[in-house]
Amino acid sequence: MSATARKKSSQKRKTLQLVLIAVAALVLAGNFVVKSLGDDVAPAEGAEGSALATLEDLTVQDAATEAGYDRESDFGTAWQDVDDNGCDTRNDMLQRDLEDIEFSSGDTCEVASGTLDDPYTGETIAFERGENSGDVQIDHVVALMNAWTTGAADWDKEKRVQIANDPLNLVASDGPANMGKGARDASEWLPENQAYRCEYVARQIAVKAKYGLWVTPAEHDAMADVLTSCPAEPLPAS
């Protein structure tokens, strides 16, 4: 190879090296910018009237003591006819949430059978009144014990009976799922059906806002985590 050829080859290698160095620098710079932007991205914010925006308006503080809580003496017997429509709250909720409803013979209130698309498990449940009535239960979305420890202990009984029978705070659900939830809040229990979690948490927030209940720090954070994936989730009205 001539001296001229060797010189050209050397220049090409140097040019290629410079190009590779420049490309590597651009890649590193790009990664840095992306990382920096990611670090500066603010948490999701909900639009006005959304569940996420309403969550930020709720008081956050530790739960009060459970001492003194008694379901029946504090929140009334289950279930009552608080709206004076002739049907108790359980049958009102069965009529609202079940499909293909049939009533007991000669009765326009008592639900004898129906089908529930269970929001908690995503399963379809055939309801039939009788020994298996418990297959479908009416869940307090904000459990009454949770309500007691986040403000309801200071209410009069009339207001407690109201929240215990408020359709906003009630949903027909799979019996075992409801029993498994118990009095746990969103930091301790969420529906198995992930597609319903945004709506579930939004309903809890709507109840807390309506009645002036607070949320615990862990409860607030769990709700916010759920709503990060659905920041526009609206508050249910009923």
Side-chain angles (χ1 to χ4, degrees), residues 37-53:
L37 289 174
D39 290 343
D40 292 338
V41 171
E45 294 183 2
E48 183 178 354
S50 68
L52 186 56

Side-chain angles (χ1 to χ4, degrees), residues 87-201:
C87 298
D88 63 43
T89 303
R90 174 173 167 80
N91 279 294
D92 282 339
M93 294 302 96
L94 291 175
Q95 291 181 44
R96 184 194 70 180
D97 294 346
L98 271 60
E99 298 178 349
D100 304 322
I101 291 173
E102 293 188 5
F103 293 97
S104 297
S105 179
D107 197 315
T108 59
C109 177
E110 186 178 82
V111 176
S113 63
T115 302
L116 174 68
D117 290 328
D118 176 45
Y120 287 177
T121 64
E123 302 293 330
T124 300
I125 302 173
F127 169 76
E128 186 172 350
R129 182 172 295 278
E131 61 180 2
N132 295 320
S133 290
D135 289 351
V136 173
Q137 298 180 10
I138 308 301
D139 179 43
H140 289 98
V141 180
V142 173
L144 299 184
M145 173 71 84
N146 178 273
W148 177 267
T149 61
T150 58
D154 296 327
W155 300 348
D156 59 30
K157 186 171 181 178
E158 182 179 0
K159 187 174 181 180
R160 295 191 198 118
V161 170
Q162 181 183 353
I163 194 175
N165 293 273
D166 188 340
L168 179 64
N169 192 33
L170 299 170
V171 62
S173 64
D174 173 72
N178 179 38
M179 297 297 290
K181 170 190 171 181
R184 293 184 286 179
D185 65 29
S187 70
E188 302 164 315
W189 188 92
L190 291 168
E192 175 186 339
N193 179 16
Q194 294 190 19
Y196 185 69
R197 289 183 177 181
C198 287
E199 184 177 343
Y200 172 78
V201 167

